[in-house]
Coordinates of all heavy atoms in Angstrom, one line a residue:
P30 N 5.2 13.6 17.8 CA 3.8 13.2 17.5 C 2.7 13.8 18.4 O 1.6 13.9 18.1 CB 3.8 11.6 17.5 CG 5.1 11.3 18.3 CD 6.1 12.5 18.1
E31 N 3.2 14.1 19.6 CA 2.2 14.7 20.5 C 1.8 16.1 20.3 O 0.8 16.7 20.5 CB 2.7 14.7 22.0 CG 4.0 15.5 22.3 CD 5.2 14.7 21.9 OE1 5.2 13.7 21.3 OE2 6.3 15.3 22.4
Y32 N 2.6 16.8 19.3 CA 2.4 18.2 18.9 C 2.0 18.4 17.5 O 1.7 19.5 17.0 CB 3.7 19.1 19.3 CG 4.0 19.1 20.7 CD1 5.2 18.5 21.1 CD2 3.1 19.7 21.6 CE1 5.5 18.6 22.5 CE2 3.4 19.7 22.9 CZ 4.6 19.1 23.4 OH 5.0 19.2 24.7
V33 N 2.1 17.4 16.6 CA 1.9 17.5 15.2 C 0.4 17.6 14.9 O -0.5 17.0 15.6 CB 2.5 16.2 14.5 CG1 1.6 15.1 14.7 CG2 2.5 16.5 12.9
T34 N 0.1 18.4 13.9 CA -1.2 18.5 13.3 C -1.2 17.7 12.0 O -0.3 17.7 11.3 CB -1.5 19.9 13.0 OG1 -1.6 20.7 14.2 CG2 -2.9 20.1 12.3
V35 N -2.2 16.8 11.9 CA -2.3 15.9 10.7 C -3.4 16.4 9.8 O -4.6 16.6 10.3 CB -2.5 14.5 11.2 CG1 -2.7 13.5 10.0 CG2 -1.4 14.0 12.1
Q36 N -3.1 16.4 8.6 CA -4.0 16.7 7.4 C -4.1 15.4 6.6 O -3.1 14.9 6.2 CB -3.6 17.9 6.6 CG -4.7 18.3 5.7 CD -4.2 19.7 4.9 OE1 -3.0 19.8 4.8 NE2 -5.1 20.4 4.6
L37 N -5.3 14.7 6.5 CA -5.6 13.6 5.8 C -6.4 13.9 4.6 O -7.6 14.3 4.8 CB -6.1 12.5 6.6 CG -6.4 11.1 6.0 CD1 -5.2 10.5 5.4 CD2 -7.2 10.3 7.0
N38 N -5.9 13.7 3.4 CA -6.6 14.0 2.2 C -7.4 15.4 2.2 O -8.5 15.5 1.8 CB -7.7 12.9 1.9 CG -7.1 11.5 1.8 OD1 -6.0 11.5 1.2 ND2 -7.6 10.5 2.3
G39 N -6.5 16.4 2.7 CA -7.1 17.7 2.7 C -7.9 18.2 3.9 O -8.2 19.4 4.0
A40 N -8.2 17.3 4.8 CA -9.0 17.5 6.0 C -8.2 17.4 7.2 O -7.4 16.4 7.4 CB -10.2 16.7 6.0
F41 N -8.3 18.3 8.2 CA -7.6 18.2 9.4 C -8.2 17.1 10.3 O -9.4 17.0 10.4 CB -7.5 19.5 10.2 CG -6.7 20.5 9.5 CD1 -7.2 21.6 8.7 CD2 -5.3 20.5 9.7 CE1 -6.4 22.4 8.1 CE2 -4.5 21.4 9.1 CZ -5.1 22.4 8.2
V42 N -7.3 16.3 10.9 CA -7.8 15.3 11.9 C -7.6 15.7 13.3 O -6.4 16.0 13.7 CB -7.0 14.0 11.6 CG1 -7.5 12.9 12.7 CG2 -7.1 13.5 10.1
D43 N -8.6 15.8 14.0 CA -8.5 16.2 15.5 C -7.7 15.2 16.3 O -7.9 14.0 16.0 CB -9.9 16.4 16.0 CG -9.9 17.1 17.4 OD1 -9.9 18.3 17.5 OD2 -9.8 16.4 18.4
H44 N -7.0 15.6 17.2 CA -6.2 14.7 18.0 C -7.1 13.5 18.6 O -6.6 12.5 18.8 CB -5.4 15.4 19.2 CG -4.2 16.0 18.6 ND1 -2.9 15.6 18.9 CD2 -3.9 17.2 17.9 CE1 -2.0 16.3 18.4 NE2 -2.6 17.3 17.7
S45 N -8.2 13.9 19.0 CA -9.2 12.9 19.6 C -9.6 11.8 18.6 O -10.0 10.9 19.0 CB -10.5 13.6 20.1 OG -11.2 14.2 19.1
G46 N -9.4 12.1 17.3 CA -9.7 11.2 16.2 C -8.5 10.3 15.8 O -8.6 9.5 14.9
F47 N -7.3 10.5 16.4 CA -6.1 9.8 15.9 C -6.2 8.3 16.0 O -5.6 7.5 15.3 CB -4.9 10.3 16.7 CG -4.2 11.5 16.2 CD1 -4.9 12.4 15.4 CD2 -3.0 11.9 16.6 CE1 -4.4 13.6 14.9 CE2 -2.3 13.1 16.2 CZ -3.1 14.0 15.4
E48 N -6.9 7.8 17.0 CA -7.0 6.3 17.1 C -8.2 5.8 16.2 O -8.1 4.6 15.9 CB -7.3 5.9 18.6 CG -6.1 6.2 19.5 CD -6.3 5.6 20.9 OE1 -6.9 4.6 21.0 OE2 -5.8 6.3 21.9
S49 N -9.2 6.6 15.9 CA -10.4 6.1 15.2 C -10.3 6.4 13.6 O -11.1 5.9 12.9 CB -11.6 6.6 15.7 OG -11.7 8.0 15.6
T50 N -9.4 7.2 13.3 CA -9.1 7.6 11.8 C -8.1 6.7 11.2 O -7.0 6.5 11.8 CB -8.8 9.1 11.7 OG1 -9.9 9.8 12.3 CG2 -8.7 9.5 10.2
T51 N -8.4 6.2 10.0 CA -7.5 5.3 9.3 C -6.8 5.8 8.0 O -7.4 6.5 7.4 CB -8.3 4.0 8.9 OG1 -8.9 3.4 10.1 CG2 -7.4 2.9 8.3
V52 N -5.5 5.6 8.1 CA -4.8 5.8 6.9 C -4.7 4.6 6.1 O -4.4 3.6 6.5 CB -3.3 6.3 7.3 CG1 -2.5 6.6 6.0 CG2 -3.4 7.5 8.2
K53 N -5.0 4.8 4.7 CA -5.1 3.6 3.8 C -4.5 3.9 2.4 O -4.0 4.9 2.2 CB -6.6 3.1 3.7 CG -7.5 4.2 3.3 CD -9.0 3.8 3.5 CE -10.0 4.9 3.0 NZ -9.7 6.1 3.7
D54 N -4.4 2.9 1.6 CA -3.8 2.9 0.4 C -4.3 4.2 -0.5 O -5.5 4.5 -0.5 CB -4.1 1.8 -0.4 CG -3.3 1.6 -1.8 OD1 -2.1 2.1 -1.7 OD2 -3.9 1.3 -2.8
G55 N -3.3 5.0 -1.0 CA -3.6 6.1 -1.8 C -3.9 7.4 -1.1 O -4.0 8.5 -1.7

Side-chain angles (χ1 to χ4, degrees):
E31 63 276 7
Y32 298 115
V33 69
T34 298
V35 176
Q36 191 175 28
L37 177 62
N38 299 322
F41 289 100
V42 179
D43 191 86
H44 279 256
S45 64
F47 279 15
E48 290 187 40
S49 61
T50 303
T51 304
V52 177
K53 55 194 177 307
D54 189 39

